[in-house]
Amino acid sequence: MKKSLMAAGAALVLAAGPAMAQQDKPIKIGFVSTFSGPTAVIGNDMRNSFELALDHLGRKMGGRPVEVIYEDDMQKPDIGKQKTEKLLQSDKVDFIAGYIWSNVLLASLKPVVDSQTFLISANAGPSQIAGELCSPFFFSTSWQNDQTPQAVGEYMNQKGVKSVYLIGPNYAAGKDMLSGLASTFKGKVVGQDLTKWPDQLDFSAELSKARAANPDAVFVFYPGASGVQFLTQYAQAGLKGKIPLYTAFTVDELSLPLQKELALGVPGAQQWVHDLPNEQNKRFVADYRKKYPGLRPTYYGAQAYDAAQLINSAVVAVNGDLSKKDAMRDAMRKVNFNSVRGSYKYGNNHFPVQNFYLQDVVKGEDKDFPLSLKTVATIVKDSQDRFHDRCPMKW
């Protein structure tokens, strides 16, 4: 009997050993974004917000410490793919997150899903991944590219706009944005220009063509520095105040200090605005501003914050045992955390089904900044992307 008890005790110690060792091993997360050049401000905001989420989580997930390896894609698909493969093969990360640009994400997707590593996009949402390239190892905490401009199209219908000229950059997201607007806009598209990306910053030719077409409105998608240049040149061309401008992702908390009053009267749509009244969002915004004085979080940051929370929900669900990938996937599908955008759910392709809000630029509502973005109204409730039925996943 004594020998049996000793044997049982030894077996328990042996079984506990690997589990205890696993608890001491860090959760390794690779984060790919742009941390150099003019668009580094976007990547920095995403990193800031991801780090804040880790602070809120006690810098542990499922009782295990967290290690994040940040890699700069330099806004180039080939570099992004190289950095992704380095994270998988050399660093042996457990998760990969980030990705601003759709062309970078598309180039990086296959090595991640082939390795059966979970990838959480905190921004890019190309239509291909929502449809035929969907994967059980891919989740988004942002949107499918078409969804935001689709909401803008619905708002333009409400405003009685009858014709529009479309302008955007010639890459995966730019094409998605313009087609997304056209899919819901009930008026006539009188012209369209796709410009060289990312180095074209002179839009005089496109603005001349838009003026000649004499539309009721112009819709544009240009994030980052391109958006600042476009709004400046729109005013310089004498179009501001004559042809209403509608945008997606052109006016945000990063570009607004540079665009200044040129952004007034330029509405857009978003699934997150800093003044959404849920408690998680209030904490996120307040603590971000305390941690990073002089800065405000953007939707890029909000999505990165949610990416950390989504990963944590999966790790907690399996008590830190990352071999249980099916259980982790099931946990992420349930959105079992408090999102800063409020509640949302996942479609079968792992893109959010969520609300989109009208955002506008206002004066004097933030004592630290002369201009800020404000939620004006809900444009669309429970929006689901239009590519989900092309995704073969069913659950």
Side-chain angles (χ1 to χ4, degrees), residues 105-128:
L105 177 57
L106 285 167
S108 306
L109 178 69
K110 190 175 188 302
V112 184
V113 298
D114 283 354
S115 70
Q116 297 193 350
T117 302
F118 285 108
L119 188 161
I120 294 86
S121 173
N123 194 68
S127 54
Q128 298 93 324

Side-chain angles (χ1 to χ4, degrees), residues 26-32 67-71 83-97 112 115-118 322 325:
I27 304 290
K28 296 182 74 173
I29 302 170
F31 197 102
V32 179
E67 177 186 349
V68 186
I69 304 167
Y70 294 97
E71 293 289 352
K83 295 299 180 69
T84 299
E85 290 173 337
K86 177 256 185 186
L87 288 167
L88 293 168
Q89 296 165 12
S90 300
D91 299 308
K92 300 188 184 306
V93 296
D94 302 303
F95 298 88
I96 293 187
V112 184
S115 70
Q116 297 193 350
T117 302
F118 285 108
L322 303 190
K325 294 193 175 185

Side-chain angles (χ1 to χ4, degrees), residues 255-318:
S255 63
L256 189 53
L258 300 174
Q259 293 161 338
K260 300 180 181 177
E261 294 196 1
L262 292 176
L264 288 169
V266 181
Q270 221 12 290
Q271 96 291 3
W272 178 88
V273 188
H274 71 94
D275 60 354
L276 292 178
N278 68 78
E279 292 304 315
Q280 189 73 15
N281 190 50
K282 291 178 181 178
R283 182 189 185 200
F284 165 61
V285 173
D287 288 358
Y288 186 103
R289 294 180 64 163
K290 289 177 186 175
K291 187 175 175 71
Y292 309 106
L295 298 177
R296 294 181 291 190
T298 70
Y299 63 86
Y300 299 106
Q303 294 156 184
Y305 182 94
D306 275 359
Q309 299 282 355
L310 181 67
I311 293 171
N312 178 67
S313 71
V315 177
V316 169
V318 295

Side-chain angles (χ1 to χ4, degrees), residues 218-219 257 285:
V218 170
F219 170 80
V285 173

Side-chain angles (χ1 to χ4, degrees), residues 137-165:
F137 290 96
F138 174 90
F139 282 83
S140 166
T141 54
S142 55
W143 22 255
Q144 191 277 315
N145 287 340
D146 295 52
Q147 285 182 284
T148 305
Q150 282 182 296
V152 177
E154 293 286 4
Y155 178 64
M156 291 169 67
N157 294 335
Q158 295 169 19
K159 296 291 287 183
V161 177
K162 301 299 182 186
S163 62
V164 65
Y165 197 98

Side-chain angles (χ1 to χ4, degrees), residues 15-27 61-65 94 315 318-324:
M20 293 175 66
Q22 182 84 342
Q23 287 301 108
D24 292 334
K25 185 180 178 183
I27 304 290
M61 295 181 176
R64 295 173 57 179
D94 302 303
V315 177
V318 295
N319 294 315
D321 184 354
L322 303 190
S323 68
K324 298 178 179 179

